[in-house]
Amino acid sequence: MAADPRFHAVAGPLPLWRLAEVAEVEVPEGAGDRLFTSVATLGAAGPEDVSFLDARRWLDSLRETRAGAVVLAAENARAVPEGCIALVSPTPVLAFARIAALLHPPATASGKRHPTAVVGEGATIGEGCEIGAYAVIEDGAVIGPRCIIGPHAHIGRNCVFGADCRIFSHVTVTHCLAGDRVTLNPGCRIGSEGFGFATTPRGGHVTVPQLGRVILGDGVEVGANACIDRGSGNDTVIGPGTRLDNLVMLGHNVRTGQGCIIVAQAGISGSTTLEDYVVVAAQAGMVGHLTIGAKARIGAQAGVMADVPAGMDVVGSPALPVRDAMRGFNVLRKLGQSKAAATAEKKTGD
Amino acid sequence: MAADPRFHAVAGPLPLWRLAEVAEVEVPEGAGDRLFTSVATLGAAGPEDVSFLDARRWLDSLRETRAGAVVLAAENARAVPEGCIALVSPTPVLAFARIAALLHPPATASGKRHPTAVVGEGATIGEGCEIGAYAVIEDGAVIGPRCIIGPHAHIGRNCVFGADCRIFSHVTVTHCLAGDRVTLNPGCRIGSEGFGFATTPRGGHVTVPQLGRVILGDGVEVGANACIDRGSGNDTVIGPGTRLDNLVMLGHNVRTGQGCIIVAQAGISGSTTLEDYVVVAAQAGMVGHLTIGAKARIGAQAGVMADVPAGMDVVGSPALPVRDAMRGFNVLRKLGQSKAAATAEKKTGD
Amino acid sequence: MAADPRFHAVAGPLPLWRLAEVAEVEVPEGAGDRLFTSVATLGAAGPEDVSFLDARRWLDSLRETRAGAVVLAAENARAVPEGCIALVSPTPVLAFARIAALLHPPATASGKRHPTAVVGEGATIGEGCEIGAYAVIEDGAVIGPRCIIGPHAHIGRNCVFGADCRIFSHVTVTHCLAGDRVTLNPGCRIGSEGFGFATTPRGGHVTVPQLGRVILGDGVEVGANACIDRGSGNDTVIGPGTRLDNLVMLGHNVRTGQGCIIVAQAGISGSTTLEDYVVVAAQAGMVGHLTIGAKARIGAQAGVMADVPAGMDVVGSPALPVRDAMRGFNVLRKLGQSKAAATAEKKTGD
């Protein structure tokens, strides 16, 4: 099944040679003029669709695909069925992404400003921006050229965005300076007051003024309903190209390097630093004031309570290096399955 | 204490025979004309309230209740105090729900469209719909009859909703086809761009266009601030009658069968399938590309890393069948409480 | 670096004697007229900034700070470098918070109502309130004096707020009675329908009407995108001074005492009660119908399945008293690191 044209732009049909050009793949002789309209998974694709293979476990699906062409690694090209064109790439998903974006170009700013949009005094809107119904851009904000501001988005006073940003509906942004090509998915909250307070001797909590900002580097993406609090004194800083999934929580003064990946529902406590290209899997958590070294990988649901050296993989809660954690877990599992455990269980009545 | 009439409609007082009719319970002779105004818990109910007992651990509360009537299972009817009417049902909570809905009918669409609502070109609004202030319904959307669209709700281009849906305030819906009686609680995000990207050899992340949709079956309910990403190529599909609690996260291409229950803050990674009537407890997580068999139950905070057979209960992270996990946990707890552990602790200084 | 004046009000420069007055600290003779403009961390502060030391692990930063003055405990005062004024307090963070709020006063209500704000019939707006663009306040709502209502905030029918509340953008509030000085951060959802349903013999789920309210005590703060469901029959009650961080989830009928702290992404299931001053760390979860005693502390990612006595600290999932849990964890870690485990691993192929 191809992409539903009610929801996705359709640029095709396009000849294979154009797709191959953006994907940097070779086209078999004589196939360059064959036309393609869309992309689809191996199981859903038809003769006018391009598909892809990203892992060997889908080889069976590849053998049965009806796709007109498949992007894949050289080692898997022999499994392509007859009539299907193998497009060989050292980076099949990347090549596929480029083909998909050519056939179904992402939306660009229409240049239209809805009459209900409120733009405050001294706010600057760049050329070609699209501003949705009921968007509110407060005094002094600066929006770069060709940005898309969705319906009901709220951009706070004096916030700055670079060029080609996408700020979807219901987003709140305050106390923020953002670069180019930043994407803020629906309902994310950027710049809210961090969770900082002092407790009086009598037990009351007094807010510590949160006087920092949020700095978003070029190409940062933030998922739906995710939250990034502003710094408490220093800034919260998200490095260029870092991507946050939905419902992620970053506390005040968190800093990430470039190209980090933080998957859904993960949370990072205040003042923790991620160096470049750290990967944090879903629902993982980190206490505050840690340093996670470059290219470290934090497992799903891990609970990180200490610094992690560069390049290390940790899992578990509290988190341990992956080998130690898995061994401990295996021992535990065997204990749980053993007769001895069952016996002990009966004896103690637990 | 009965329901606060500032916030909940009041249809009563109503005679017991009418309540008994919807609840499919028998009324003791002569009690049919007794009037009831509201419902309440055992501890809070008075003589004009109907209450219920759903578990034997509340039997003490039952014995002391001042409720005029209590819905309960036959086995507990003897514990009803004098002057309180026992309404015996094989499904007491269900019977109570029907009585409560009769005494306090849920809101229905007023048929009024607030003058500030923006309805795009070619959008179709069914008969009797209620549309709140500043709602935005984009071009080509189709809204079935008697829907309630809350203030600030945003329905994207060409989205389709069936009859009798409730879309509360601040909801964002894009790329979505929904059935009848769908409920979207405040701030949920349906159809956002999934977390799909390819990484270049130099470490940059390039978005893979997310070209699918979200399909919501009849009677689906989605909690406040929950997120359902659209499919990446195939669709994300939520089966009829499935209910998601607040802050739940479903990744692209997730599929659920009918009647699944996914409790608050649980997360399901991309392309995982839940068969019918699966229950996922709060804060549980699942990696991608799994199949969870029908009626399986996933424990709170479980971390599921492999397929789960139909009907199996799993707990723990990584998740194990419940008996194995609890045995292992008991062994671990004993190790932790043992003198040996305390001694080892002292010796190693850990 | 001082606070960015684009985002934070600047009241200074102010003489040290005024800062000392609010902070209840002594000023060294002759230093009272020295002027200060802002506050900053030890590493970022300059001669016109006040900084603070809240833990001995930052003593090295203290020795190298360029701050003009530092608030700290008496025991650390000797480490203050030459030229820097030591402001000695028994509660340094609290004293610092008061200085910061004097130099950078938090926003107060402007008294302006944006012309696009919708205020329903019979709604009452107190003196001096600020109401943002596209805010929607429904019929019969009562807003106390000097409240700030952000853009797009939605206050439901008959809701009541006391004085000096801050309701930020995109908040949804329904079925709620709130006290004075309540803060609702962007996108939080107060009063949504709880997750209550009965399941029919055929597997369908029928909503149990959720007929309670949410009661927010004086000084309650709720984080961005957090959710508090209304009671199902009784009320959901948040005690005075309790603070919830971002993305927290509280189910129907949850009750907290005063001064509780619930950190980001934690979740509390229906009908659980927290007594006064309970601390729940990030990503922790609790099953329903529990009682957590006063001043108990629940560790990050803990999974609490039983009542917790007053004053007890628990960690782990399932949660145990902290000493037992840490011992068990240490045993497990050693098992994981041991040669025996490595050998077992090889033999069984796990």
Side-chain angles (χ1 to χ4, degrees), chain C residues 149-160:
Chain C
I149 315 273
H152 302 110
H154 170 217
I155 316 270
R157 198 166 50 88
N158 292 332
C159 286
V160 176

Side-chain angles (χ1 to χ4, degrees), chain A residues 42-113:
Chain A
L42 290 168
E48 296 188 352
D49 296 325
V50 180
S51 190
F52 71 105
L53 178 81
D54 63 340
R56 293 182 62 83
R57 61 172 161 167
W58 311 122
L59 274 174
D60 284 349
S61 301
L62 174 63
R63 292 193 185 95
E64 296 171 11
T65 190
R66 294 176 52 248
V70 174
V71 191
L72 37 49
E75 56 180 358
N76 299 317
R78 283 188 5 181
V80 167
E82 204 175 316
C84 172
I85 299 168
L87 301 172
V88 172
S89 166
T91 53
V93 182
L94 182 59
F96 175 80
R98 289 180 170 147
I99 288 172
L102 194 67
L103 287 164
H104 301 287
T108 54
S110 68
K112 291 181 189 161
R113 188 190 297 194

